[in-house]
Amino acid sequence: MLADFERALARIVVDPELADRVAADASALDGYILTPRERERLAAIAPQKGLAIGTLFHRSFRISKLAYTLPNTLKALGSERLSTLLHEYWKEYPAVIEYYDREAERFALWLLKREKAGETARLVESELSALREI
C-alpha cells in the first residue's frame, strides 16, 4: 500500500488536474490501493497551495532538459504555443524520463506526430538527428 501512496502523491504533484479532482472528491484515488489514512492524507494534501511549488519544480526540470537538447525547436514554437504543447505533452506523458536525451527524443517524436510538415517539423527532425548522433 505504501508504494501506491507514493505513486499517488507523486502523480498529484505532477498533475494539477488530478490534484483538483482529489481535492473535490477523494474517489479520484480509486485506482490506487490505499488505507483509509493514506486516502485522507492525500485528500488533505491535494488542495494545499504549496503543492504548486512541487509542480513548478517538476515542470522546470522537464523544460530545462528540452531547452538544453532542443533549443531551436522550442524557440521556433514561441512561448505561447510551446506552453500549450507542453501541457498536452505532460498530460499524455506525466512520468519524467531522467535522461535528457531520452526525454527530448520522446518529446520530439510526440511533436513530429503533430507537425508532419513545415519549418517546425524540419527543425525537430534536425535536432533529433543531432541528438541521436551524440
Side-chain angles (χ1 to χ4, degrees):
M1 289 189 218
L2 180 59
D4 266 18
F5 175 80
E6 291 171 347
R7 281 188 319 109
L9 178 57
R11 188 66 193 268
I12 286 171
V13 171
V14 303
D15 185 351
E17 291 176 8
L18 176 60
D20 291 344
R21 290 194 311 272
V22 171
D25 183 358
S27 69
L29 296 167
D30 284 351
Y32 298 95
I33 302 170
L34 302 167
T35 65
R37 185 176 186 186
E38 290 169 335
R39 184 178 291 271
E40 287 173 21
R41 285 188 175 174
L42 291 168
I45 291 168
Q48 298 298 314
K49 291 182 183 192
L51 192 63
I53 300 288
T55 304
L56 176 68
F57 284 136
H58 171 77
R59 289 181 172 179
S60 295
F61 175 58
R62 291 185 80 178
I63 291 171
S64 71
K65 291 191 290 184
L66 299 177
Y68 180 75
T69 52
L70 303 170
N72 297 323
T73 297
L74 271 54
K75 185 177 180 180
L77 291 170
S79 61
E80 190 172 316
R81 184 155 181 247
L82 176 61
S83 178
T84 300
L85 287 168
L86 285 173
H87 283 89
E88 291 174 17
Y89 172 69
W90 290 331
K91 189 172 184 123
E92 194 169 331
Y93 293 100
V96 68
I97 296 176
E98 296 298 322
Y99 299 102
Y100 278 53
D101 58 339
R102 291 184 188 162
E103 179 80 21
E105 181 176 29
R106 182 173 69 178
F107 177 74
L109 293 171
W110 177 88
L111 188 56
L112 280 173
K113 288 179 186 176
R114 285 151 182 75
E115 305 284 329
K116 300 197 186 286
E119 184 61 28
T120 303
R122 284 191 289 282
L123 273 171
V124 173
E125 288 171 352
S126 172
E127 288 190 310
L128 184 57
S129 177
L131 186 63
R132 289 177 171 164
E133 290 175 9
I134 297 176

